[in-house]
Amino acid sequence: MQRAQRGDLDAFRTLLEMYQGRVMRVMVSVLRCDRAIAEDLCQEVFLRVHKGLPAFDGQVRFLTWLHTIAMNVAISEYRRRRTQKRDRHTFSIDAPVAGTDDLYLTPAGRELAPHEDAHQRHFLAMVRAAVHELPDEFRDAVVLRDMEGLAYEEIATVLDLPIGTVRSRIHRGRLLLQEKLQEFRP
Amino acid sequence: MSAPDRRDDERFAEWVDGCMSGRDRERFEAELRVNARLRADLEAYERTVASVQAALRAPTTEVDFADRVLARLAATRAPAPILASPPRRPWLLAMVLVAALLGVMVWISSWQPTSSGLDVAKVADVVPTAPSPPASEAPAGQSGGGGGGDVGMRRLDAAGGAVPPEAKAAVVPADSDEAGERREQSAAPTRLADAAPVPSVAVPTVGGPDAKAPAEPQPTAPEAASAATAVPGAERRDGAPSAVRSAAPQPDADLEAGDERAKRKAAEEHLESGEVAETLAPTELVPEIVVTGTVPAARRGRGSPAVGGEPKGPVAGGAAPAPAGPTPGLPAGPATGGPAGPASGGPVRTDRFGGSKNEDRGAPLPTGGKRAVDLGSEVEQFLAAQIAAPAKDARASDWAATAGTLRLTVLVPEVRKADAGAGDDAEAAGGERAWLVEGSKDEVAAVVARLGVLVRRQQLQMNNGETRLASPPALAGEKVRDETAKVVPAAPAAARVRLVLRLRLTQR
């Protein structure tokens, strides 16, 4: 980290390789975008990280800071989409490409019956779709908590919210998911 | 699930996430022991959370964009910006765009089609006053600064050989406006100025009947480097040395004349050396914009996004030469005698192109922030839309009023083959398309401005240069060079500007 802060690109590459997967998942989950767009946004995230790294003072965990940047990029992208009033049928920029869930692998080596495996995968895909359909404020909180495992305080830092609001949004998001997933639960 | 009161609801989240204090946990556990309904609700809640976590934390496919990030960092690494302003202030972006647009407009307005070639004598007089950035700072994927490999085009250095790639690095006098702009731009990898123009000094080799061999002086290597950064066409200003923006001391007229004679002589010798390919005659130098970049290989074959499901014209998505005859939907323009046929853009887009200048709001460009589309077709679409779309939104002053005489012509594939010269990426030759954009100065400038925004959003690179095309029949407003090689401004009312737009994409 210190070497990266001093401008060592090899050290920065190490950081990048450590966290690129996580950032990618956050982007895909929060924005429900296809992989290409998520990669573009992830690159933007790490460019910002590189730019801000010298000033990173370590008062928060690096992961928290990274998520803050990622969420800022995601929020900017989402706002940009919402203000754009263009024909989405023309360009596939925002609409997820069929198979958006292709970021997730089919578990290998699992010894389940084929129908069980398919049903499980379908269920997990439904869960992810349900997460994507949550209202933004709930989705962000749920993703940061249940996918990234950030603590409430960290999520409050990332989203710039009081802890109580974070807790409330996480809980309400989960309740909404619970309602949606009633029929899909295996 | 029942409707528990709010305190119980949020305690579920704290319980599952292990955030309860010791005392609260004891109380909650006591309640759970006596309240079966509460236990059932909590169990359902826990199952939901477990499912969500399993789904979101499922193994994902490997991602690896580290190389791309580092490449962008390397491309944008430059001397520390003088201005400490953050890169994403909209007003700063607007200023940069306006400055770029003004620069392009000035460049286009001062462009003099000439058969005797670029007044390299004036270009060569520029003495760089700022150190050249290292070649590695050139934007990744930048190719040849445009114009390389074009028919009859060669770049000359003092010895008559090709200008080395390093000479193309931006050498801008430190205190010039362009230098300040570049420093700002270098801090923002996604800015338009990532495609900061690094025009090459394309010295016409053999001109037509009007060509004057003495007009092709041999700039020295440093001069070539500085010339490479001179605003294209700046040398064409009336009697002014090429680096209009340069802060270098301008030689006086006598010295300039003497230098010019010497350089003309050197150019003659070079031409006689036979190193330079013959050009088609009559030909003229036309400003060129080369857009380079990489697109994902998997998506390149998609072709352009459908325009309401309409198929594109023969040019869209491919590189077929334009068919003969006027293109429906496009205004008829003056016939050109060049290698390209009439414009053929297929069905004209009618989507919104009248957006705000504020890119953060998503100016209505076809591609938005997505790279994985057929850029060539998009450029073609938006160029076609520039022709057809009226200025619906007066706020977009950078591209308004393009429904005039703007004309788009596809250049024949042979031009592309000729462009694939030494030093060009082989893949770039395969993914290259070129159009001739003709119109009024304002129209072409608007197209360039829009293209710049598109390039920025697509994270591509844009470079200015020159290319040689067969001279069209005499057009109203053609600028003429007099014997002193000074630019004689044409009648502004009837001036038409020609610009070659070249797209070189590589797959990854």
Side-chain angles (χ1 to χ4, degrees), chain B residues 90-155:
Chain B
W91 62 266
L92 189 58
L93 279 173
M95 285 178 60
V96 168
L97 285 175
V98 168
L101 176 60
L102 287 174
V104 169
M105 290 179 66
V106 167
W107 168 50
I108 291 174
S109 64
S110 63
W111 180 256
Q112 293 287 327
T114 171
S115 56
S116 61
L118 186 64
D119 187 3
V120 181
K122 298 187 187 300
V123 170
D125 285 335
V126 174
V127 177
T129 58
S132 305
S136 63
E137 294 183 8
Q142 173 180 343
S143 63
D150 297 311
V151 175
M153 297 301 300
R154 290 293 298 272
R155 300 187 198 92

Side-chain angles (χ1 to χ4, degrees), chain B residues 180-208:
Chain B
E181 184 176 331
R182 283 171 179 268
R183 279 188 287 268
E184 291 178 45
Q185 294 165 350
S186 64
T190 59
R191 288 191 184 184
L192 166 65
D194 278 351
V198 182
S200 61
V201 179
V203 179
T205 54
V206 176

Side-chain angles (χ1 to χ4, degrees), chain B residues 2 22 72 213 261 391 493-494:
Chain B
S2 62
R72 285 177 66 178
R261 285 191 290 274

Side-chain angles (χ1 to χ4, degrees), chain B residues 328-357:
Chain B
L330 294 178
T336 61
S344 170
V348 173
R349 288 181 58 85
T350 57
D351 63 338
R352 286 187 44 167
F353 270 88
S356 160
K357 281 192 285 186

Side-chain angles (χ1 to χ4, degrees), chain A residues 137-148:
Chain A
E137 60 271 21
F138 300 146
R139 181 176 65 244
D140 296 346
V142 168
V143 165
L144 290 176
R145 175 60 209 165
D146 290 330
M147 186 171 80
E148 294 298 298

Side-chain angles (χ1 to χ4, degrees), chain A residues 15-25 42 46 66, chain B residues 62-67:
Chain A
L15 273 181
L16 211 162
E17 291 171 347
M18 285 173 58
Y19 293 105
Q20 60 184 352
R22 299 184 76 149
V23 174
M24 183 72 167
R25 280 192 317 192
C42 288
F46 284 101
L66 178 63
Chain B
E62 197 170 321
V63 294
D64 186 10
F65 44 79
D67 290 337

Side-chain angles (χ1 to χ4, degrees), chain A:
Chain A
M1 171 64 71
Q2 290 176 350
R3 286 193 295 133
Q5 284 185 296
R6 287 194 293 266
D8 186 334
L9 279 183
D10 288 335
F12 181 72
R13 172 188 276 272
T14 303
L15 273 181
L16 211 162
E17 291 171 347
M18 285 173 58
Y19 293 105
Q20 60 184 352
R22 299 184 76 149
V23 174
M24 183 72 167
R25 280 192 317 192
V26 168
M27 285 300 169
V28 171
S29 299
V30 167
L31 290 174
R32 199 187 181 188
C33 56
D34 62 17
R35 189 178 176 127
I37 296 174
E39 286 188 358
D40 289 347
L41 295 172
C42 288
Q43 291 181 45
E44 177 67 24
V45 168
F46 284 101
L47 289 172
R48 292 193 189 189
V49 167
H50 181 266
K51 183 172 174 143
L53 204 52
F56 176 64
D57 55 10
Q59 289 188 358
V60 297
R61 275 202 306 164
F62 174 77
L63 190 62
T64 304
W65 182 63
L66 178 63
H67 278 101
T68 303
I69 295 174
M71 291 305 298
N72 287 339
V73 172
I75 289 169
S76 298
E77 169 67 13
Y78 189 76
R79 286 175 180 162
R80 185 189 66 80
R81 290 184 193 174
R82 281 196 301 183
T83 56
Q84 271 184 327
K85 299 185 178 66
R86 62 181 180 216
D87 180 7
R88 293 190 176 187
H89 296 293
T90 305
F91 303 101
S92 60
I93 298 175
D94 302 317
V97 178
T100 301
D101 215 44
D102 60 359
L103 181 67
Y104 290 89
L105 291 170
T106 299
R110 293 186 55 185
E111 298 183 359
L112 289 177
H115 70 278
E116 290 176 330
D117 186 34
H119 188 81
Q120 180 70 7
R121 280 187 280 118
H122 178 70
F123 175 71
L124 294 181
M126 289 299 106
V127 172
R128 286 190 282 269
V131 170
H132 291 153
E133 291 169 6
L134 285 176
D136 301 344
E137 60 271 21
F138 300 146
R139 181 176 65 244
D140 296 346
V142 168
V143 165
L144 290 176
R145 175 60 209 165
D146 290 330
M147 186 171 80
E148 294 298 298
L150 297 186
Y152 284 10
E153 293 78 10
E154 293 175 322
I155 297 173
T157 301
V158 171
L159 299 180
D160 194 20
L161 294 170
I163 292 181
T165 304
V166 169
R167 180 185 344 138
S168 173
R169 290 187 179 182
I170 290 172
H171 180 69
R172 291 171 66 187
R174 288 167 172 171
L175 289 180
L176 288 174
L177 289 171
Q178 188 171 347
E179 292 174 12
K180 290 188 179 189
L181 297 176
Q182 290 291 341
E183 58 184 287
F184 295 113
R185 191 170 300 281

